[in-house]
Amino acid sequence: MKQKQRRIDLQPWQDSKAKPYIHLEGVSKEFNGVLAVDDVTLSIFQEEFFSLLGPSGCGKTTLLRMLSGFEMPTKGKIYIDGVDVTRRPAYDRPVNMMFQSYALFPHMTVEQNIAFGLKQERIPRAEIQERVKEVLKLVQMEKYGSRAPHQLSGGQKQRVALARSLVKRPKLLLLDEPLAALDKRLREQTQFELVNIQEKVGITFIMVTHDQEEAMTMSTRLGVMDHGRLRQVSTPNEVYEYPNSEYVADFIGSINKFEGLVTEVDDNHILVDSEETGSELYVGHSADAPVGSHVKVAIRPEKMMIDHAAPNQKKNVTKGIVRDIGYLGDVSIYHVELKSGKIVLATQPNLVRLAERPVTWDDTVYLFWRAENSIVLTA
Amino acid sequence: MKSILQKLKLNFTSPFWVTVIPFGWLLLFFLIPFLIVLKISLSDLKFGLPPYAPLIEWTSEGLLIIKINLTNYTFIGTDSLYLFAYLDSLAIALLGTIGCLCIGYPMAYGIAKASPSKRTILLMLIILPFWTSFLLRVYAWIGILSPQGYINTLLINLGLISSPLSLIDNTFATVLGIIYCYLPFMILPLYAFLEKIDHTLLEAAYDLGARPFQAFIRIIWPLSRPGVIAGSLLVFIPAVGEFVIPELLGGSQTLMIGKVIWNEFFTNRTWPVAAALAVIMLVFLILPIAIFQRYQEQQVRFLDAE
């Protein structure tokens, strides 16, 4: 099947001339002297599925509420499709929100819930009916139009909430933890559905979530937030492979970090001397770290190789004893204790059955990795 | 305590007791008194104590005589005074209820929206007047409204009026008294329902393009309707039969059914007529109670799901 070429596949954020669709400029929000959102500048492009990711209290929900118009920024400006909406109230913005609690009106049927927003626009009744029907079909809830919200399951409520926020065809749809109330299986299935629907309707989505897996699978780009600040904005792949700070590296997935001193640096590599590993660490990219400065070299557990035999390399290698093995079915996580006492994680796919596993408890093993798979964290 | 209950084999949480206790209560304090009143209303008037003839009588010949006297009811129909008293009572109670609703709704909404710590204080302030005797509070209004009262004195001293306004001994004062005395009964159930409404529903309405007023009309008002009905009935039902307020503030021109019943009982000593008046009033009031019941069931259905 041939896929429609979408604007977003062109990666407009790579193009310096591309015009952002949603633009936040130095947006801050203060609550009783506490900065909930601290000077956020962010551009989001049309048809993007953007995720704001962060722990609770990091300001991501406040940012979403400022986009929806429920909160007014203390400082800064918000533009949607070139129009300054900073001071516009929620009812006067081309933005709709899907609430975490779904916020379906309990005294209205599914159809009445969905028609609510259209009635506010004084759209003719026939058109309302048609659009309600269309959107119910989109979320596969055609048969439930006359049900009351309390007669629906969690997944069905979620669909109705989505339909209600989509039916007005907003320029921007905000999703506040849209899948948090669903159980794991349903959540995974719904993730893809939501992305499919987004591609179909072509509306720009901004989602708030604390679930990194959700953000990774669904988004075109994501922004990692911490203490009201945006720490990194990039594609899921880039954020995972090239976190720009220790905070982001820790927040997304797990990562091994070795402290050390920079001994050599040039345009395409850095050499770090680490006591923790007892070897020199060669990183295959440059970083803003002068010789003699303290840095951390980070390697994802799945990029660690593990073997009884010493590898054919002198750099990027360390030795330790297997203390623990976490068996997850598809992969196993080896907890290897180095001489320094540091525990290093290495994930290996379970290519053979458990009983035939070559590396087991209390084995002395070598851990090693390729130079291009490690990164230097300076912040 | 537990052992005594166990010895007596009384488990008050069993389905049997859970139904028997409220029904027993209703039987003892509602149905039986009502049947006594009904019995009196069907009796003949008699001089003596009690001032009515028994309904069931054994004669010396061993005959069982049951005399049901409907003339008390037909008598009420013949005198238009009673009809007007009923209508006036309903009208005054209705005005009082509307007044309570108009004042109480914004207050209840304000309390429900206040921060939890402020809420407690505000609710206390609503309940506080109850700590003073009801009679005293109504009496105090005489001091405020009478020709020599605070309002008239103030207005005359300010030179706004030359002779006192007649603020008391009329329907206005009665309605005012009812609004004042029954306001908490309106606010408390309203508050209970308004407080339960999820604030995000209001945000959802704004988000979908509803301005604050529209959002109120289409979301908050319908969801608070059971509270409006509960509060209105709690005000309306006792207000219809109110005696003290029209007696103290209404003067001679306000004829409410409570006062008429009192007169029949104590001035005319016609207990059967008074009882018949009370029975008719109850029949009038059953209707709104039934409506309330229906709405309450509906509300339970909403809340089931949440």
Side-chain angles (χ1 to χ4, degrees):
Chain A
M1 203 162 60
K2 212 177 143 193
Q3 280 265 315
K4 182 183 121 197
Q5 176 71 37
R6 295 188 309 134
R7 223 176 312 203
I8 208 62
D9 296 331
L10 303 172
Q11 305 211 338
W13 51 88
Q14 304 276 29
D15 178 2
S16 58
K17 277 176 288 184
K19 202 169 147 277
Y21 196 59
I22 315 293
H23 184 64
L24 290 93
E25 206 176 272
V27 170
S28 295
K29 177 69 184 178
E30 209 181 290
F31 289 114
N32 304 321
V34 180
L35 270 178
V37 171
D38 186 2
D39 193 25
V40 167
T41 297
L42 175 64
S43 291
I44 294 165
F45 298 86
Q46 202 163 6
E47 292 187 32
E48 254 203 270
F49 195 133
F50 191 91
S51 293
L52 286 167
L53 183 62
S56 56
C58 71
K60 56 191 195 296
T61 301
T62 307
L63 197 58
L64 200 75
R65 289 174 64 80
M66 286 193 282
L67 282 162
S68 65
F70 297 135
E71 307 284 356
M72 296 291 158
T74 317
K75 256 197 305 210
K77 293 240 179 273
I78 298 171
Y79 298 90
I80 295 174
D81 198 10
V83 180
D84 181 357
V85 298
T86 317
R87 297 285 146 200
R88 279 210 210 165
Y91 52 79
D92 197 22
R93 287 189 188 202
V95 176
N96 284 126
M97 173 129 144
M98 191 184 143
F99 291 83
Q100 183 176 6
S101 62
Y102 307 140
L104 299 178
F105 305 130
H107 57 302
M108 298 183 191
T109 63
V110 167
E111 271 168 1
Q112 287 168 333
N113 261 285
I114 297 172
F116 183 92
L118 298 175
K119 278 189 189 157
Q120 296 301 326
E121 282 182 57
R122 304 192 182 281
I123 287 170
R125 188 180 293 243
E127 196 193 328
I128 290 181
Q129 272 177 352
E130 201 176 304
R131 278 170 70 172
V132 168
K133 224 165 132 186
E134 191 185 315
V135 79
L136 275 174
K137 201 174 157 197
L138 182 72
V139 298
Q140 298 167 30
M141 289 284 290
E142 301 109 302
K143 287 182 193 143
Y144 298 90
S146 52
R147 294 264 183 108
H150 72 258
Q151 296 170 306
L152 302 176
S153 71
Q156 290 169 333
K157 280 185 196 170
Q158 191 260 354
R159 284 156 191 269
V160 175
L162 180 65
R164 187 177 70 176
S165 52
L166 279 174
V167 76
K168 290 194 75 177
R169 297 172 189 156
K171 290 188 170 170
L172 171 63
L173 186 75
L174 306 169
L175 303 105
D176 185 7
E177 305 267 6
L179 308 175
L182 306 180
D183 61 64
K184 193 169 188 291
R185 247 199 139 70
L186 190 58
R187 196 158 63 218
E188 282 168 2
Q189 183 192 332
T190 313
Q191 284 173 3
F192 290 103
E193 265 181 35
L194 204 53
V195 172
N196 283 338
I197 286 172
Q198 193 259 344
E199 288 180 2
K200 230 184 258 176
V201 295
I203 290 172
T204 310
F205 277 30
I206 297 180
M207 174 173 82
V208 152
T209 181
H210 65 272
D211 182 335
Q212 46 140 319
E213 219 175 278
E214 200 168 286
M216 302 277 283
T217 24
M218 295 168 78
S219 339
T220 53
R221 283 191 307 156
L222 51 91
V224 182
M225 283 189 80
D226 172 43
H227 287 97
R229 287 183 158 275
L230 264 178
R231 299 298 295 261
Q232 187 169 10
V233 177
S234 203
T235 60
N237 169 48
E238 197 136 327
V239 170
Y240 185 78
E241 299 292 352
Y242 304 104
N244 66 356
S245 59
E246 205 180 331
Y247 176 81
V248 174
D250 277 330
F251 190 75
I252 312 259
S254 46
I255 200 154
N256 298 302
K257 286 169 290 181
F258 302 111
E259 281 177 51
L261 277 173
V262 179
T263 54
E264 206 181 292
V265 60
D266 73 12
D267 284 349
N268 50 36
H269 83 280
I270 293 183
L271 206 57
V272 176
D273 193 18
S274 170
E275 267 179 46
E276 282 178 322
T277 58
S279 70
E280 273 191 313
L281 308 179
Y282 183 95
V283 182
H285 69 84
S286 186
D288 186 18
V291 172
S293 64
H294 274 277
V295 293
K296 281 181 180 167
V297 175
I299 307 104
R300 296 278 181 200
E302 75 277 7
K303 304 226 163 46
M304 285 276 190
M305 286 174 279
I306 186 166
D307 205 342
H308 288 119
N312 217 350
Q313 61 191 64
K314 286 278 171 294
K315 287 166 187 151
N316 295 343
V317 63
T318 188
K319 205 163 100 174
I321 297 164
V322 177
R323 287 298 180 209
D324 234 325
I325 305 176
Y327 179 68
L328 299 183
D330 50 350
V331 295
S332 290
I333 302 170
Y334 295 81
H335 296 240
V336 179
E337 189 183 335
L338 305 187
K339 209 184 272 171
S340 58
K342 190 185 183 77
I343 299 282
V344 175
L345 302 184
T347 311
Q348 294 292 298
N350 289 324
L351 300 174
V352 292
R353 298 266 164 82
L354 195 59
E356 304 150 25
R357 189 155 54 191
V359 176
T360 186
W361 281 272
D362 297 329
D363 283 2
T364 301
V365 290
Y366 288 94
L367 292 167
F368 50 100
W369 57 92
R370 285 155 52 174
E372 66 267 30
N373 280 342
S374 57
I375 42 174
V376 169
L377 300 171
T378 51
Chain B
M1 184 67 193
K2 199 181 172 188
S3 61
I4 297 169
L5 289 176
Q6 272 168 349
K7 266 181 215 157
L8 291 168
K9 292 202 175 157
L10 290 176
N11 175 10
F12 286 109
T13 55
S14 77
F16 175 74
W17 285 107
V18 164
T19 45
V20 155
I21 291 171
F23 275 101
W25 177 276
L26 282 176
L27 186 78
L28 200 61
F29 295 108
F30 178 74
L31 194 62
I32 291 174
F34 172 70
L35 288 176
I36 293 170
V37 173
L38 186 67
K39 190 193 91 174
I40 298 172
S41 80
L42 295 171
S43 307
D44 257 335
L45 190 63
K46 192 189 89 178
F47 290 101
L49 231 152
Y52 57 91
L55 214 55
I56 299 165
E57 229 176 347
W58 283 100
T59 61
S60 49
E61 299 94 53
L63 275 174
L64 176 70
I65 298 170
I66 303 175
K67 274 196 286 184
I68 292 180
N69 180 8
L70 292 173
T71 54
N72 298 319
Y73 288 92
T74 52
F75 170 69
I76 291 167
T78 57
D79 195 336
S80 63
L81 170 101
Y82 298 115
L83 179 67
F84 285 127
Y86 276 124
L87 292 179
D88 275 4
S89 299
L90 291 174
I92 287 170
L94 192 68
L95 283 174
T97 308
I98 292 169
C100 279
L101 188 61
C102 291
I103 299 168
Y105 199 106
M107 284 174 80
Y109 195 58
I111 297 171
K113 284 222 157 184
S115 66
S117 56
K118 263 191 209 152
R119 248 183 244 172
T120 323
I121 296 169
L122 292 171
L123 283 173
M124 270 293 282
L125 290 174
I126 300 292
I127 300 164
L128 209 61
F130 275 109
W131 295 4
T132 317
S133 148
F134 171 71
L135 211 58
L136 274 179
R137 281 182 289 133
V138 179
Y139 221 87
W141 276 102
I142 297 177
I144 297 169
L145 299 173
S146 70
Q148 301 82 34
Y150 294 119
I151 293 179
N152 276 317
T153 312
L154 181 75
L155 290 177
I156 288 171
N157 286 347
L158 287 173
L160 292 170
I161 49 170
S162 51
S163 58
L165 300 169
S166 48
L167 297 172
I168 203 165
D169 294 337
N170 53 23
T171 309
F172 163 75
T174 312
V175 172
L176 189 70
I178 286 174
I179 292 173
Y180 169 73
C181 290
Y182 287 98
L183 194 59
F185 296 102
M186 179 64 86
I187 291 176
L188 295 177
L190 266 178
Y191 163 76
F193 277 93
L194 285 167
E195 194 253 351
K196 265 191 291 187
I197 296 175
D198 182 3
H199 182 69
T200 49
L201 293 181
L202 205 55
E203 287 194 339
Y206 295 154
D207 184 67
L208 292 166
R211 281 158 188 281
F213 181 70
Q214 291 166 316
F216 174 79
I217 291 295
R218 295 192 59 191
I219 308 297
I220 302 295
W221 177 255
L223 287 175
S224 65
R225 209 177 291 151
V228 172
I229 289 167
S232 298
L233 287 174
L234 282 177
V235 173
F236 182 76
I237 291 169
V240 170
E242 182 54 54
F243 167 72
V244 174
I245 297 168
E247 177 70 18
L248 290 179
L249 303 176
S252 54
Q253 58 159 281
T254 313
L255 196 62
M256 284 183 75
I257 199 69
K259 226 165 115 178
V260 172
I261 293 173
W262 195 88
N263 277 333
E264 293 296 343
F265 260 111
F266 298 104
T267 314
N268 299 345
R269 288 187 63 79
T270 47
W271 285 27
V273 172
L277 284 166
V279 169
I280 291 171
M281 194 171 86
L282 187 86
V283 172
F284 268 131
L285 295 180
I286 289 265
L287 196 72
I289 293 171
I291 294 170
F292 175 53
Q293 194 69 29
R294 225 197 77 209
Y295 265 98
Q296 228 178 8
E297 278 164 19
Q298 209 174 39
Q299 187 63 21
V300 167
R301 274 195 291 128
F302 280 156
L303 296 177
D304 263 355
E306 297 309 314

